[in-house]
Amino acid sequence: MEDKLKKQKIKYFFYSLFAYLLGATIYDLIFNYERNGSRVIFAFIFGFVIRALYDLYEHKRYPEMKEKEKQLEKDERLIIIKDKAAYVTYNITIFILAISWIVTIVKQNEELNIFITVLILVMIATMELSKYYLSKKM
Amino acid sequence: MKNRLKEIRATKGISQEELAEALEVSRQTISSLENGRYNPSILLAFKIARFFQMSIEDVFIYEEGNVDGR
């Protein structure tokens, strides 16, 4: 069952990618390659809708798979793995932003420097607030 | 922390998949527990012990002087 779920997730990923590309192609055919931003939004929404419909179909067809998926969401080991992965991702993101911040100083790009500074501060504040909230809760 | 999960499970003739289903965890979690790569929470330890109708001490062996229990 778990192996089937893994395969299904890979299938979902490619299905979503295909739906996104299909959305972009449909947009190009209708609007004749105009407005790049709108094309991305259209393709994203199209992909999202198709994926949601496919999810609904799969849920009706294999209800036991969804049950297993819900069960695995409660698995304590998987929760710990997700938390650790999120923490590593957070640290790497902060590190990359810090390097970008230094680059913007060297390149004297003030607007981008302010944007990155705000981004770093928001990330740190969110992390600290989450820690404070969770420490009060537990 | 060591455990006798593999041995007990084999004695009872239960597969990893069946045990995982009963405890509502993944099969990989059972495998990690058996190999000593993962130490369960007290809640899961109780669930395992209850499933086999044993006490926690019968399944899990605490080793003194090992900070993280591994």
Side-chain angles (χ1 to χ4, degrees), chain A residues 1-3 6 68 71-72 74-78 80 84, chain B residues 17 20-21 24-29 32 38 40-41 44:
Chain A
M1 182 78 87
E2 285 166 38
D3 294 334
K6 274 183 193 168
K68 187 71 186 174
Q71 185 188 313
L72 289 180
K74 291 178 197 161
D75 186 318
E76 59 177 47
R77 182 177 146 271
L78 294 179
I80 291 171
K84 282 187 178 176
Chain B
E17 189 82 48
E21 197 70 41
E24 296 184 326
V25 296
S26 65
R27 193 190 53 76
Q28 286 98 324
T29 299
S32 295
Y38 173 66
S41 67
L44 182 58

